[in-house]
Amino acid sequence: MPSLSVTRLLLPAALLATLAGCSILSGGDRNAVTIYSPSVQVQVDPSWPTVDWQLVLSKPSATRMVDSPRINVRPRPSELEIYAGATWAQPATDMIEDALLRGFEDSGRIAGVGRAAAGIRADYRLATDIRRFESDYRGQPTPTVVIEINAKLIHVVDQRVVIDRTFRQELPVGSTDVPAVTAAFEKGLNALTADVVGWALSSGQKDTDGGSLH
């Protein structure tokens, strides 16, 4: 598994007050905040096709709680809090977008891929919505990391939705420690990225070839 990048720093008092007021799950020195940055390295599946079309990635959408650098935890079904003294290096939407872009680029299976803002001419567009990016206790003594996104592959010329699918990764942590939780997030993000990349390449190629996707 790729190693999780960790940085410690002192945050401004105003931000610390915001973080501390949102969670009671972690104690310790409130002036020290650990920043976690999951690393994504996708393993290429030999079954993935090599395609000659180009793809753009739309900026992922998400609710306000998800679209932040806070590490969300659900201690009870109706409650959503954050881990005090810990944060992501970037919001979940940026993490997902970066992971997908790197996954497609590193696969070596696609003619061209870029962010929508890059302005490249593309045949397909991948739109994603992040539904869950949190650890969930589910009434258990240790949490389960849950990452769930909906992805739509769209044909650019006629804006036709080629295929739509929801991807989900659930990883029991086996510990309440924040480093263990973030390591599970990294593992889940790698697996989910591989699932989406392989699915998009295969689905786009089938559509290009005129095959059935259902």
Side-chain angles (χ1 to χ4, degrees):
M1 181 191 301
S3 61
L4 199 71
S5 174
V6 179
T7 305
R8 293 186 67 85
L9 82 169
L10 299 182
L11 290 186
L15 179 54
L16 286 172
T18 300
L19 290 171
C22 293
S23 176
I24 58 173
L25 294 182
S26 179
D29 182 1
R30 291 187 176 183
N31 290 325
V33 174
T34 304
I35 297 180
Y36 294 90
S37 180
S39 175
V40 174
Q41 295 179 4
V42 173
Q43 296 296 317
V44 177
D45 190 319
S47 67
W48 293 354
T50 297
V51 303
D52 59 5
W53 40 265
Q54 299 196 141
L55 175 74
V56 292
L57 307 179
S58 296
K59 177 73 175 179
S61 61
T63 63
R64 183 178 300 178
M65 283 296 293
V66 173
D67 191 19
S68 87
R70 297 170 296 188
I71 304 177
N72 291 328
V73 54
R74 192 176 295 276
R76 286 164 288 278
S78 61
E79 298 178 15
L80 190 63
E81 299 183 3
I82 65 169
Y83 287 104
T87 183
W88 297 121
Q90 56 186 171
T93 50
D94 289 341
M95 277 193 282
I96 294 289
E97 183 180 31
D98 288 353
L100 289 174
L101 180 61
R102 178 167 183 172
F104 282 108
E105 290 176 338
D106 292 355
S107 74
R109 300 300 179 93
I110 188 167
V113 61
R115 306 176 200 272
I120 69 170
R121 177 175 293 181
D123 305 282
Y124 293 95
R125 176 168 60 91
L126 184 65
T128 52
D129 177 65
I130 306 174
R131 295 178 175 176
R132 297 187 69 184
F133 199 84
E134 63 191 41
S135 69
D136 189 345
Y137 272 81
R138 300 175 171 179
Q140 302 299 315
T142 57
T144 294
V145 162
V146 181
I147 305 174
E148 181 180 307
I149 73 168
N150 177 263
K152 292 178 174 62
L153 187 66
I154 300 167
H155 189 256
V156 172
V157 172
D158 55 11
Q159 292 297 295
R160 169 175 51 91
V161 176
V162 174
I163 194 167
D164 179 304
R165 180 176 166 184
T166 297
F167 295 84
R168 186 182 179 97
Q169 287 288 325
E170 297 190 6
L171 292 92
V173 179
S175 170
T176 59
D177 293 339
V178 176
V181 171
T182 56
F185 269 106
E186 182 177 84
K187 184 176 180 180
L189 186 57
N190 272 274
L192 184 139
T193 299
D195 288 346
V196 175
V197 169
W199 166 81
L201 290 172
S202 298
S203 299
Q205 192 58 38
K206 286 181 181 179
D207 184 65
T208 299
D209 294 341
S212 173
L213 293 171
H214 304 287

